[in-house]
Amino acid sequence: MVDEFRFSGVPALHFGPGVFKNAVSVVMKYGRSLLLVAGSSSFTGSGRGRGFVKELKEKGLKIDIVNVEGEPHAGFIDGVISELRVSPPGMVLAVGGGSVLDAGKALAAMLTVEGRTWDYLEGNPEMKAHPGTRLPLIAVPTTAGTGSEATRNAVLTTPGEPRLKRSLRHDNFVPDLAIVDPLLTTGCPPHVTAASGLDAITQLLEALVSTGASPVTDALAKSGLQCGIENLERAVSEGNDINARTGMAYAAFLSGIVLSNAGLGAVHGFASVLGGYYDIPHGVVCGTLLGAVTRVNIGKLAASEEDTAYLDKYAAAGMIVCSEKGRDRDHYLARLADELDRMVEVLNIPRLGCYGVTAGDITSIAAETAIKNNPASLTTGDLEKILLSRL
Ligand SMILES: [Fe+2]
């Protein structure tokens, strides 16, 4: 039986090695003036980026460029908007990693409304509902990780202290088009490839076992997980292997779709809190905690004997992740977390202690962690135990 579910928000997609070469003609269908949002040094400083901008200008497009350094802050978005109010662009093209795509999404949304970004940001007790208006938006990822090119939210840092990461969210914020060209990710260094790839794999696994999952997200999550597991280690060790890069680009795109439609679990609950207090890459938090959260979730689900459907899904994930094939369900349930830990070890993902997290911080981090769509009910004590195991 298939229960009631909703599924929405998939961008049009141009996918494959080399598809970016068609970007100029594609962009021209969306408008005659463009805000190009890019990273601080990568795309606009590259030969490919300079050639792209030159070609657009030769075709008569008006181009403003904004470079995003690090993770976008709500105040940064407001600053750019105030400069563009007099002569706003007709569309936004974001080319970069997850932070750049999120900044582009936020700029496209905020250029159509009055007020500050904070007014519409989740976590503001006086938050106003955004009407969902935005400029046409094209997302071009240059890393394979967050899946922001397929999501309906932009993650921004809040004003004031502590710095928190909160979303500007609306169903309409899914980009009109994602141009996913794995050739653009070949320059991504190994440690970034590893962390962002583990973000995608975490999103796929957490969405698969999410309480908000549907048959559609299950199918996409399994497909993405298979591809991510098959290709991540090679994408890290052989950065120019275009097949591995293509597999990771596919996994990341699907991870964005499933996270938007199914929700995520305790790993991302931790990541939201840890990312606000420590200077720690999101993908590192995901990777370092994924095995520990999986182990505790499977243990709690097995002990509760309430709903075996989540255990069936973990076993299916184990079949994808573990190298031994043809074993029984219990084998995969027993091996999955260890195999995830092995992968994280091979990829040299640091533990939380490397970023200044101490045993004294654990209680407050666990107390703030939300686990809305996690398949198992975890106590604060469970959350503390998970964090302690990865210090
Ligand atoms: Fe994530």
Side-chain angles (χ1 to χ4, degrees), residues 159-192:
E161 290 294 335
R163 298 174 306 138
L164 297 172
K165 290 183 181 172
R166 293 290 181 262
S167 280
L168 186 68
R169 190 188 311 267
H170 195 285
D171 283 356
N172 296 351
F173 293 168
V174 174
D176 297 292
L177 171 68
I179 299 175
V180 181
D181 185 343
L183 283 176
L184 300 180
T185 69
T186 53
C188 186
H191 69 285
V192 178

Side-chain angles (χ1 to χ4, degrees), residues 199 203 268 282 286:
D199 182 20
Q203 289 168 181
H268 275 79
H282 175 75
C286 292

